[in-house]
mmCIF file of all heavy atoms in Angstrom:
data_model
loop_
_atom_site.group_PDB
_atom_site.id
_atom_site.type_symbol
_atom_site.label_atom_id
_atom_site.label_comp_id
_atom_site.label_asym_id
_atom_site.label_seq_id
_atom_site.Cartn_x
_atom_site.Cartn_y
_atom_site.Cartn_z
ATOM 1 N N THR N 64 -3.007 -16.662 4.036
ATOM 2 C CA THR N 64 -1.859 -16.107 4.678
ATOM 3 C C THR N 64 -2.159 -14.732 5.311
ATOM 4 O O THR N 64 -3.174 -14.102 4.992
ATOM 5 C CB THR N 64 -0.684 -15.947 3.742
ATOM 6 O OG1 THR N 64 -1.080 -15.007 2.740
ATOM 7 C CG2 THR N 64 -0.331 -17.303 3.090
ATOM 8 N N LYS N 65 -1.277 -14.257 6.149
ATOM 9 C CA LYS N 65 -1.380 -12.899 6.709
ATOM 10 C C LYS N 65 -1.368 -11.854 5.573
ATOM 11 O O LYS N 65 -2.064 -10.878 5.589
ATOM 12 C CB LYS N 65 -0.310 -12.601 7.739
ATOM 13 C CG LYS N 65 -0.460 -11.208 8.388
ATOM 14 C CD LYS N 65 0.514 -11.001 9.496
ATOM 15 C CE LYS N 65 1.872 -10.611 9.022
ATOM 16 N NZ LYS N 65 2.766 -10.072 10.126
ATOM 17 N N GLU N 66 -0.565 -12.104 4.577
ATOM 18 C CA GLU N 66 -0.462 -11.201 3.457
ATOM 19 C C GLU N 66 -1.775 -11.073 2.741
ATOM 20 O O GLU N 66 -2.229 -9.980 2.442
ATOM 21 C CB GLU N 66 0.673 -11.747 2.513
ATOM 22 C CG GLU N 66 0.907 -10.873 1.291
ATOM 23 C CD GLU N 66 2.064 -11.409 0.458
ATOM 24 O OE1 GLU N 66 1.807 -12.476 -0.225
ATOM 25 O OE2 GLU N 66 3.156 -10.880 0.506
ATOM 26 N N LYS N 67 -2.429 -12.185 2.498
ATOM 27 C CA LYS N 67 -3.712 -12.151 1.806
ATOM 28 C C LYS N 67 -4.817 -11.545 2.687
ATOM 29 O O LYS N 67 -5.748 -10.839 2.181
ATOM 30 C CB LYS N 67 -4.148 -13.590 1.361
ATOM 31 C CG LYS N 67 -3.270 -14.145 0.246
ATOM 32 C CD LYS N 67 -3.691 -15.512 -0.106
ATOM 33 C CE LYS N 67 -2.818 -16.074 -1.239
ATOM 34 N NZ LYS N 67 -3.193 -17.482 -1.637
ATOM 35 N N LEU N 68 -4.700 -11.755 3.995
ATOM 36 C CA LEU N 68 -5.624 -11.147 4.929
ATOM 37 C C LEU N 68 -5.505 -9.607 4.891
ATOM 38 O O LEU N 68 -6.448 -8.859 4.850
ATOM 39 C CB LEU N 68 -5.398 -11.673 6.348
ATOM 40 C CG LEU N 68 -6.213 -11.010 7.472
ATOM 41 C CD1 LEU N 68 -7.724 -11.187 7.266
ATOM 42 C CD2 LEU N 68 -5.764 -11.575 8.838
ATOM 43 N N PHE N 69 -4.275 -9.144 4.874
ATOM 44 C CA PHE N 69 -3.999 -7.695 4.827
ATOM 45 C C PHE N 69 -4.590 -7.090 3.578
ATOM 46 O O PHE N 69 -5.279 -6.081 3.551
ATOM 47 C CB PHE N 69 -2.516 -7.398 4.910
ATOM 48 C CG PHE N 69 -2.161 -5.931 4.808
ATOM 49 C CD1 PHE N 69 -2.510 -5.113 5.882
ATOM 50 C CD2 PHE N 69 -1.517 -5.459 3.727
ATOM 51 C CE1 PHE N 69 -2.158 -3.751 5.835
ATOM 52 C CE2 PHE N 69 -1.204 -4.110 3.671
ATOM 53 C CZ PHE N 69 -1.523 -3.271 4.696
ATOM 54 N N LEU N 70 -4.391 -7.730 2.424
ATOM 55 C CA LEU N 70 -4.899 -7.253 1.167
ATOM 56 C C LEU N 70 -6.462 -7.193 1.189
ATOM 57 O O LEU N 70 -7.062 -6.339 0.629
ATOM 58 C CB LEU N 70 -4.409 -8.060 0.007
ATOM 59 C CG LEU N 70 -2.884 -7.975 -0.288
ATOM 60 C CD1 LEU N 70 -2.482 -8.960 -1.368
ATOM 61 C CD2 LEU N 70 -2.522 -6.542 -0.666
ATOM 62 N N ALA N 71 -7.033 -8.222 1.871
ATOM 63 C CA ALA N 71 -8.480 -8.283 1.957
ATOM 64 C C ALA N 71 -9.025 -7.131 2.804
ATOM 65 O O ALA N 71 -10.080 -6.543 2.517
ATOM 66 C CB ALA N 71 -8.928 -9.581 2.508
ATOM 67 N N THR N 72 -8.317 -6.750 3.838
ATOM 68 C CA THR N 72 -8.793 -5.633 4.686
ATOM 69 C C THR N 72 -8.772 -4.343 3.893
ATOM 70 O O THR N 72 -9.552 -3.419 4.137
ATOM 71 C CB THR N 72 -7.900 -5.438 5.931
ATOM 72 O OG1 THR N 72 -6.545 -5.055 5.542
ATOM 73 C CG2 THR N 72 -7.818 -6.722 6.767
ATOM 74 N N MET N 73 -7.873 -4.205 2.918
ATOM 75 C CA MET N 73 -7.765 -3.026 2.087
ATOM 76 C C MET N 73 -8.745 -3.058 0.916
ATOM 77 O O MET N 73 -8.890 -2.060 0.204
ATOM 78 C CB MET N 73 -6.362 -2.840 1.577
ATOM 79 C CG MET N 73 -5.285 -2.606 2.622
ATOM 80 S SD MET N 73 -5.484 -0.992 3.461
ATOM 81 C CE MET N 73 -5.272 0.085 2.079
ATOM 82 N N ASP N 74 -9.349 -4.238 0.692
ATOM 83 C CA ASP N 74 -10.092 -4.455 -0.538
ATOM 84 C C ASP N 74 -9.256 -4.049 -1.700
ATOM 85 O O ASP N 74 -9.723 -3.430 -2.664
ATOM 86 C CB ASP N 74 -11.397 -3.645 -0.551
ATOM 87 C CG ASP N 74 -12.389 -4.133 -1.601
ATOM 88 O OD1 ASP N 74 -12.298 -5.250 -2.033
ATOM 89 O OD2 ASP N 74 -13.267 -3.311 -1.946
ATOM 90 N N ALA N 75 -8.001 -4.490 -1.646
ATOM 91 C CA ALA N 75 -6.996 -4.111 -2.662
ATOM 92 C C ALA N 75 -7.135 -4.826 -3.965
ATOM 93 O O ALA N 75 -7.216 -6.090 -3.951
ATOM 94 C CB ALA N 75 -5.584 -4.287 -2.074
ATOM 95 N N PRO N 76 -7.172 -4.134 -5.090
ATOM 96 C CA PRO N 76 -7.307 -4.818 -6.361
ATOM 97 C C PRO N 76 -6.003 -5.482 -6.790
ATOM 98 O O PRO N 76 -5.993 -6.381 -7.609
ATOM 99 C CB PRO N 76 -7.685 -3.701 -7.318
ATOM 100 C CG PRO N 76 -7.073 -2.469 -6.718
ATOM 101 C CD PRO N 76 -7.200 -2.671 -5.187
ATOM 102 N N VAL N 77 -4.843 -4.983 -6.247
ATOM 103 C CA VAL N 77 -3.565 -5.544 -6.621
ATOM 104 C C VAL N 77 -2.677 -5.540 -5.416
ATOM 105 O O VAL N 77 -2.905 -4.754 -4.466
ATOM 106 C CB VAL N 77 -2.886 -4.756 -7.740
ATOM 107 C CG1 VAL N 77 -3.635 -4.882 -9.056
ATOM 108 C CG2 VAL N 77 -2.739 -3.294 -7.358
ATOM 109 N N ASP N 78 -1.650 -6.367 -5.405
ATOM 110 C CA ASP N 78 -0.642 -6.319 -4.361
ATOM 111 C C ASP N 78 0.551 -5.558 -4.919
ATOM 112 O O ASP N 78 1.184 -5.977 -5.878
ATOM 113 C CB ASP N 78 -0.199 -7.756 -3.987
ATOM 114 C CG ASP N 78 0.868 -7.812 -2.893
ATOM 115 O OD1 ASP N 78 1.276 -6.745 -2.467
ATOM 116 O OD2 ASP N 78 1.137 -8.909 -2.431
ATOM 117 N N PRO N 79 0.898 -4.402 -4.339
ATOM 118 C CA PRO N 79 2.004 -3.632 -4.881
ATOM 119 C C PRO N 79 3.341 -4.326 -4.883
ATOM 120 O O PRO N 79 4.188 -3.981 -5.703
ATOM 121 C CB PRO N 79 2.000 -2.370 -4.008
ATOM 122 C CG PRO N 79 1.316 -2.780 -2.749
ATOM 123 C CD PRO N 79 0.270 -3.795 -3.149
ATOM 124 N N ARG N 80 3.481 -5.331 -3.966
ATOM 125 C CA ARG N 80 4.775 -6.028 -3.934
ATOM 126 C C ARG N 80 5.032 -6.798 -5.251
ATOM 127 O O ARG N 80 6.199 -7.078 -5.559
ATOM 128 C CB ARG N 80 4.764 -7.011 -2.767
ATOM 129 C CG ARG N 80 4.966 -6.386 -1.438
ATOM 130 C CD ARG N 80 6.235 -5.610 -1.284
ATOM 131 N NE ARG N 80 7.424 -6.451 -1.233
ATOM 132 C CZ ARG N 80 7.978 -6.854 -0.087
ATOM 133 N NH1 ARG N 80 7.435 -6.492 1.093
ATOM 134 N NH2 ARG N 80 9.052 -7.580 -0.067
ATOM 135 N N ARG N 81 3.960 -7.085 -6.041
ATOM 136 C CA ARG N 81 4.130 -7.758 -7.323
ATOM 137 C C ARG N 81 4.930 -6.929 -8.290
ATOM 138 O O ARG N 81 5.515 -7.423 -9.251
ATOM 139 C CB ARG N 81 2.766 -8.075 -7.914
ATOM 140 C CG ARG N 81 1.982 -9.145 -7.176
ATOM 141 C CD ARG N 81 0.606 -9.274 -7.817
ATOM 142 N NE ARG N 81 0.686 -9.435 -9.255
ATOM 143 C CZ ARG N 81 -0.365 -9.212 -10.063
ATOM 144 N NH1 ARG N 81 -1.504 -8.903 -9.603
ATOM 145 N NH2 ARG N 81 -0.198 -9.346 -11.354
ATOM 146 N N TYR N 82 4.940 -5.565 -8.111
ATOM 147 C CA TYR N 82 5.547 -4.651 -9.022
ATOM 148 C C TYR N 82 6.908 -4.187 -8.588
ATOM 149 O O TYR N 82 7.640 -3.591 -9.337
ATOM 150 C CB TYR N 82 4.631 -3.422 -9.228
ATOM 151 C CG TYR N 82 3.265 -3.757 -9.785
ATOM 152 C CD1 TYR N 82 2.219 -4.055 -8.959
ATOM 153 C CD2 TYR N 82 3.056 -3.788 -11.139
ATOM 154 C CE1 TYR N 82 0.959 -4.378 -9.413
ATOM 155 C CE2 TYR N 82 1.803 -4.110 -11.648
ATOM 156 C CZ TYR N 82 0.754 -4.393 -10.772
ATOM 157 O OH TYR N 82 -0.478 -4.701 -11.319
ATOM 158 N N VAL N 83 7.311 -4.504 -7.375
ATOM 159 C CA VAL N 83 8.532 -3.930 -6.818
ATOM 160 C C VAL N 83 9.744 -4.409 -7.585
ATOM 161 O O VAL N 83 10.625 -3.641 -7.922
ATOM 162 C CB VAL N 83 8.650 -4.287 -5.286
ATOM 163 C CG1 VAL N 83 10.054 -3.978 -4.794
ATOM 164 C CG2 VAL N 83 7.621 -3.512 -4.471
ATOM 165 N N ASP N 84 9.855 -5.705 -7.866
ATOM 166 C CA ASP N 84 11.021 -6.271 -8.477
ATOM 167 C C ASP N 84 11.252 -5.667 -9.906
ATOM 168 O O ASP N 84 12.368 -5.324 -10.270
ATOM 169 C CB ASP N 84 10.934 -7.794 -8.598
ATOM 170 C CG ASP N 84 11.134 -8.479 -7.249
ATOM 171 O OD1 ASP N 84 11.606 -7.846 -6.352
ATOM 172 O OD2 ASP N 84 10.766 -9.686 -7.138
ATOM 173 N N ARG N 85 10.157 -5.512 -10.648
ATOM 174 C CA ARG N 85 10.319 -4.941 -11.970
ATOM 175 C C ARG N 85 10.679 -3.439 -11.935
ATOM 176 O O ARG N 85 11.363 -2.954 -12.875
ATOM 177 C CB ARG N 85 9.043 -5.153 -12.819
ATOM 178 C CG ARG N 85 7.896 -4.207 -12.476
ATOM 179 C CD ARG N 85 6.748 -4.359 -13.427
ATOM 180 N NE ARG N 85 6.021 -5.626 -13.251
ATOM 181 C CZ ARG N 85 4.830 -5.894 -13.797
ATOM 182 N NH1 ARG N 85 4.217 -4.992 -14.525
ATOM 183 N NH2 ARG N 85 4.259 -7.014 -13.584
ATOM 184 N N ILE N 86 10.260 -2.738 -10.897
ATOM 185 C CA ILE N 86 10.688 -1.332 -10.731
ATOM 186 C C ILE N 86 12.137 -1.278 -10.370
ATOM 187 O O ILE N 86 12.903 -0.445 -10.878
ATOM 188 C CB ILE N 86 9.791 -0.620 -9.710
ATOM 189 C CG1 ILE N 86 8.372 -0.542 -10.202
ATOM 190 C CG2 ILE N 86 10.361 0.733 -9.350
ATOM 191 C CD1 ILE N 86 7.340 -0.080 -9.168
#
Side-chain angles (χ1 to χ4, degrees):
T64 63
K65 183 173 81 166
E66 184 176 72
K67 291 179 179 178
L68 174 61
F69 179 68
L70 294 174
T72 66
M73 296 292 298
D74 195 21
V77 293
D78 182 354
R80 286 300 288 266
R81 292 176 48 199
Y82 299 89
V83 168
D84 287 344
R85 76 173 71 167
I86 293 170

